[in-house]
Each structure stands twice: as C-alpha cells, then as structure tokens.
Amino acid sequence: MNVSFPITSNEILLKCIPQRNPIVMVDVLYAFNDNEVSAGLSINSYGLFIKNNTLQEPGLIEHMAQTVALHTGFGYFLKSETAPTGYIGSIANLKINRLPITGEKIHTTATILQEFAGITLVDIICQINNQIIATAQMKTVIAK
C-alpha cells in the first residue's frame, strides 16, 4: 500500500487505534518504520483531559500510549488487516517537564526497544517546538 506522510485522516487513524472519541489522543501520524513511530496531537480547549486550558497528566500519558498503538495498528493497516486491541502493561521512568496548553502541538516519537510475543517495550519522547516536555519507557501488551 502506498502512503504519504503526514497522515491526518481520521478514517485511517481510527483504523489503527482501538480508542474512540472522546478519548482519541492522536490526530496526525508523521512517520512510521519497523523501529519507530512519530505522531502528534493538537491541544484544543475542549476534551476529556483538559483543565484550565492545559492537557493533564493522564491525557499526556494516554497520548503516549496511543502513539505506541499507532505503531502496531499502522503495521496492520498496511497489510489491510484489523488492528488488535492492546493495553498499557507498565510505565517506567516517566518524567513530565511541563504540560501542553491550548494551541500547542505535541510531536511524540516512540522507539521500539523490544518486541516479542505481543509485548512491545518502547522509549517515548514528547516535544513541543523541539523542546522535550515528557519522556517515558512504556510496555504495551496485545490482547489475546
């Protein structure tokens, strides 16, 4: 399948992740390869995780998890297969330097460290204007 980046189509993105509104926390897929995925989110003034025009910690963590889900899901999308449902298995070394505010755009990159038997371990970096706002290591698990 021939695709070009960035992908902003809600139709394509929703085929790659199990979440549905109001919990969709990715709105662009910037890049994808076997070892890495980059996704983004524009912070709006409305939403489940917005308080005082600021995306709260659970929303930022959910954005990280959905970025990882995009890696798995987009791989399935390219093969014209249905993306599986996955879960956060663990979060380690989470560091939030600051929270994003309304009007900002998060650019998140997840680098695959290990992938085996439906378990994926990744390093995640969230940035706004090339400034790191959060980092974490996350393990996700595909539902059986």
Side-chain angles (χ1 to χ4, degrees):
M1 179 178 293
N2 190 14
V3 296
S4 60
F5 295 97
I7 295 173
T8 57
S9 163
N10 282 335
E11 181 181 347
I12 292 173
L13 294 173
L14 290 176
K15 286 181 180 179
C16 299
I17 61 173
Q19 292 80 8
R20 295 296 174 258
N21 284 320
I23 304 185
V24 174
M25 301 300 294
V26 290
D27 58 15
V28 59
L29 176 58
Y30 291 113
F32 167 88
N33 65 45
D34 289 341
N35 302 313
E36 196 171 83
V37 64
S38 291
L41 176 65
S42 297
I43 307 303
N44 298 311
S45 59
Y46 55 89
L48 188 61
F49 299 109
I50 301 294
K51 183 177 179 183
N52 299 324
N53 291 318
T54 303
L55 180 67
Q56 299 302 295
E57 291 88 347
L60 186 58
I61 293 167
E62 183 61 26
H63 166 70
M64 291 174 165
Q66 288 184 30
T67 298
V68 178
L70 266 178
H71 184 268
T72 302
F74 193 70
Y76 277 80
F77 175 78
L78 290 175
K79 298 183 283 187
S80 299
E81 296 178 11
T82 302
T85 299
Y87 303 96
I88 298 172
S90 67
I91 301 170
N93 305 319
L94 175 64
K95 182 176 181 186
I96 298 176
N97 299 324
R98 75 171 184 88
L99 296 171
I101 59 173
T102 299
E104 291 185 317
K105 295 181 181 188
I106 308 170
H107 186 123
T108 299
T109 301
T111 303
I112 310 303
L113 301 175
Q114 284 185 314
E115 197 166 22
F116 180 74
I119 300 171
T120 304
L121 178 64
V122 299
D123 274 338
I124 303 170
I125 298 173
C126 299
Q127 299 180 73
I128 295 175
N129 297 323
N130 295 317
Q131 176 192 32
I132 296 174
I133 64 159
T135 58
Q137 191 169 85
M138 187 176 288
K139 188 181 295 181
T140 60
V141 181
I142 300 292
K144 303 257 178 191

